[in-house]
Amino acid sequence: MKSFNSTVILLTAIGIKASDAQSIPSGKLWTVVQNDKVKVHTYMSPAAMFANTSHIIELENEIIIVDGQFFAPYALELKRATDSIGKPISRFYISHDHPDHYIGFGDAFPSVKVYALEETKESIEKDGQGVLLQRQAQFGPMIASKLNKPSVIQNPGEEIIGNVKFIFEKSTNHESAVSLIIKLPEIGIYIAQDIVYNKIHLFVEGNTKGWQEALNKIVKESEYKTILSGHGKEGGKELLKDNLDYLDFVEKTITQSKNKDEFKSIILKKYPEYGGEQLIDIYLNFYLKPHHWSN
Ligand SMILES: [Zn+2]
């Protein structure tokens, strides 16, 4: 999910003002899976605040974090979680260049070494500071005072870190143009981030074909039993089917509806239990504009 100028719609909708950094609801932290070499924990902001996940990979002597929140108070909660583990953070990964994954943690983790794919590093180098300034102007203390930008390029490939095998892959043309996938085959963990949402409305900018292809690729990777999402809790392979069905339904509904309002009401009726309704407003107001719609 991207967070844009229009994120104000979301905050207004849930009754939070820019000055209310102290009164926001807390996130959640839990352990997803563990063996004798590695534990994987997830920290997640509340559903009404994007359900942004940060994953904490706890190795024997170090911690690796994946993604750093949008709102600064949640990155600070993440910091309290990693402090309580009491191991040094050796790498902080950013999965892709959408602001809800990289603008939150500059104050909470000002000096950790940040890793990203080359394209993501370049994109944040170019646009990150401007994005941060925009969000500061809109949301004040909810936004970090500074960025901690990627300084290390992560190339696709395999590495052993802390005696655990990591596989890094580049995935393209889905929810974002480019994103990093991290896989831990020894414990069946597939960190998909924003390729997979869990019970949060998917952020649809336009054609969904590339996104469906990326999901179908994960379906074939049968050794991975646990999929970690960028928005929402982890799940099994059923999450992939849920996302594919959702995108199919979105495509069908775009074709069959006459305008934004009709589209949104059909989606909400089909998925009443999903969080992030405001995400639909954001993409309808700013991104998704089929030619045949009247508004
Ligand atoms: Zn996102």
Side-chain angles (χ1 to χ4, degrees), residues 1-2 52 96 98 100-101 175 194 197 231:
M1 200 279 303
K2 287 187 183 179
N52 258 119
H96 63 295
H98 291 173
D100 52 315
H101 300 262
E175 190 259 14
D194 281 12
Y197 282 50
H231 295 271

Side-chain angles (χ1 to χ4, degrees), residues 12-24:
T12 306
I14 59 173
I16 289 176
K17 297 188 212 80
S19 57
D20 279 351
Q22 302 307 316
S23 63
I24 58 170

Side-chain angles (χ1 to χ4, degrees), residues 137-163:
Q138 287 174 319
F139 303 119
M142 291 290 289
I143 301 298
S145 73
K146 59 179 182 287
L147 294 178
N148 182 357
K149 291 187 278 194
S151 60
V152 185
I153 291 171
Q154 177 65 56
N155 290 313
E158 291 184 17
E159 271 185 66
I160 304 293
I161 310 170
N163 215 17

